Amino acid sequence: MPTLVLLPGLACDERLWEAQLPALPSALDVRVSDVHMRHDRIEAMAATLLVEHPGPLILCGASMGGMIAMEAARQAPERVVGLALLGTNARPETPDMYKLRESAIELFERGEARDVIELNAGFAFHPTQAGDPALVRRYVELVLDAGAAQLVRQNRALMERPDARPHLSGLRCPVLVLCGDSDRLTPPECSREIAALMPHAELVWVAHCGHMLTMEKPEFVNTTLGPWLQRLVADA
């Protein structure tokens, strides 16, 4: 039976998946990885993941976690039996985003992380969910708990990330691509591109949802991800 590894997004931890954990197939050995907290580059994060979790893998990554999952599939395609990619991006960093991250890093290093995260938190959500103060506060505290040093290091890793697109067409495992239809941080065109490149990909849009799928629309994510995983378990 493959191991299911959940990969959180930028500056997030297992709390990103707290609504999903109880709904996952009981037959799977489920682990939440923290490789993004321990390495400086996406390639090293993926390599460590493969060492720490031997055998066949189902990788489920959100945003930055999806980038790590795609890189792990590039490094060891024969070991990845399923990929679930939530609100992620196979492209390298754009010049404009590179500059924005550089500016944010300067503020993080000056001790202004809370101001930056609170000011920009609304962009991570659909306008409806952005109007939920408790939800936005939960997200802000989740990110700030990582600390300024992690925010700097992980943003730099994203700035130097590899282009995942060249190897995607060679992957033969089942792939679930989930994207919020109103994602402003990883636009829907990025998920559409990933799904088009992969021969066994299923693309699912999450209505009235922004970037934080697992927090914004947990029930929809669960009722989509759960049956998809169950099919992989049945085929294992």
Side-chain angles (χ1 to χ4, degrees):
M1 189 63 63
T3 300
L4 170 61
V5 182
L6 304 177
L7 293 150
L10 174 72
C12 294
D13 57 28
E14 68 278 357
R15 287 173 287 178
L16 186 71
W17 303 103
E18 63 184 4
Q20 284 66 55
L21 288 168
L24 297 172
S26 59
L28 287 171
D29 179 14
V30 181
R31 308 294 176 90
V32 181
S33 178
D34 67 348
V35 291
H36 63 311
M37 298 284 188
R38 292 185 277 126
H39 293 282
D40 296 330
R41 294 187 63 88
I42 298 292
E43 297 93 330
M45 297 169 190
T48 297
L49 181 153
L50 291 167
V51 169
E52 293 180 346
H53 303 285
L57 299 172
I58 302 170
L59 303 178
C60 179
S63 194
M64 182 180 181
M67 299 171 191
I68 300 168
M70 287 185 284
E71 174 60 17
R74 184 194 69 80
Q75 294 182 18
E78 73 286 354
R79 290 187 49 203
V80 178
V81 300
L83 275 177
L85 304 171
L86 284 63
T88 194
N89 185 357
R91 302 170 183 176
E93 191 72 288
T94 65
D96 286 345
M97 277 303 301
Y98 195 101
K99 292 176 183 176
L100 284 173
R101 290 191 198 278
E102 282 282 21
S103 298
I105 284 170
E106 291 179 10
L107 296 172
F108 296 150
E109 291 177 332
R110 294 201 324 235
E112 299 178 32
R114 179 172 290 277
D115 292 341
V116 174
I117 301 304
E118 287 183 341
L119 180 64
N120 292 283
F123 290 105
F125 297 93
H126 182 278
T128 301
Q129 285 80 251
D132 181 343
L135 178 63
V136 175
R137 189 181 317 115
R138 189 153 55 95
Y139 166 72
V140 168
E141 295 307 322
L142 173 61
V143 172
L144 290 177
D145 282 351
Q150 284 289 350
L151 284 166
V152 170
R153 186 162 72 172
Q154 292 181 41
N155 271 283
R156 291 206 182 281
L158 289 176
M159 292 160 70
E160 303 299 333
R161 68 180 182 269
D163 187 345
R165 293 172 295 179
H167 77 270
L168 293 182
S169 62
L171 296 178
R172 294 293 180 262
C173 65
V175 179
L176 175 65
V177 181
L178 274 172
C179 182
D181 64 358
S182 302
D183 191 334
R184 289 182 284 178
L185 299 185
T186 305
E189 66 188 66
C190 297
S191 290
R192 190 178 293 111
E193 179 180 47
I194 291 170
L197 286 169
M198 305 177 86
H200 302 291
E202 175 186 356
L203 175 60
V204 178
W205 300 111
V206 186
H208 310 296
C209 185
H211 188 61
M212 303 304 297
L213 289 77
T214 63
M215 299 176 71
E216 291 186 72
K217 297 291 182 178
E219 291 184 3
F220 185 92
V221 171
N222 290 355
T223 56
T224 303
L225 181 62
W228 182 82
L229 289 169
Q230 197 63 59
R231 290 196 295 273
L232 293 187
V233 169
D235 293 339

